[in-house]
């Protein structure tokens, strides 16, 4: 299992800083957080990533917050498909290499 959670169905009207802070407060009770990534943009609107220090905490948070309501919307929480850059910097290098190979 990953130590990064992918969250979707977030209210896109909430300001980025408020969203990050609220997600941090909600998820930090389940373990040590390394990062909360919530971006505003066409592709990432209503989505975020929460990175835990360990996979067990991420799994506990996912189970505990299943069907939780956040800003009036039910959270959709999944284990991320890839490791976070915070956890494994080599992931960024591999991703960038794949992107440049596709462009060539």
């Amino acid at each position: 299992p990953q130590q990064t959670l992918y969250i979707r169905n977030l209210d896109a009207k909430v300001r980025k800083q408020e969203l990050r802070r609220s997600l941090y407060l909600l998820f930090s009770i389940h373990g040590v957080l390394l990062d909360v990534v919530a971006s505003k943009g066409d592709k990432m609107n209503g989505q975020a990533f929460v990175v835990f220090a360990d996979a067990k905490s991420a799994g506990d948070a996912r189970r505990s917050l299943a069907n939780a309501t956040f800003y009036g919307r039910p959270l959709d929480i999944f284990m991320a498909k890839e490791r976070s850059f915070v956890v494994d910097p080599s992931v960024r290098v591999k991703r960038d290499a794949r992107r440049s190979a596709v462009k060539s």
Side-chain angles (χ1 to χ4, degrees):
Q2 295 288 351
Q3 56 201 91
T4 303
L5 296 177
Y6 166 67
I7 298 113
R8 67 178 189 194
N9 198 33
L10 298 170
D11 188 345
K13 295 176 186 169
V14 179
R15 289 190 349 224
K16 180 180 165 180
Q17 286 300 94
E18 181 181 346
L19 181 62
R20 289 185 72 219
R21 183 175 48 249
S22 297
L23 286 169
Y24 184 90
L25 292 172
L26 180 66
F27 283 90
S28 64
I29 60 172
H30 298 284
V32 176
L33 295 184
L34 300 179
D35 198 8
V36 176
V37 179
S39 301
K40 288 289 196 174
D42 292 338
K43 289 187 177 185
M44 284 297 296
N45 230 4
Q47 304 169 64
F49 292 92
V50 176
V51 184
F52 283 88
D54 60 89
K56 182 186 180 315
S57 296
D60 291 346
R62 182 173 172 246
R63 282 185 294 280
S64 176
L65 295 171
N67 302 316
T69 302
F70 186 73
Y71 284 97
R73 301 178 78 153
L75 289 176
D76 291 335
I77 306 173
F78 304 93
M79 299 305 267
K81 291 181 180 179
E82 293 188 19
R83 295 179 66 134
S84 169
F85 301 151
V86 174
V87 176
D88 185 0
S90 70
V91 171
R92 176 172 279 167
V93 174
K94 292 174 188 172
R95 184 208 59 193
D96 292 346
R98 281 194 311 264
R99 284 185 178 173
S100 64
V102 170
K103 290 180 183 179
S104 299

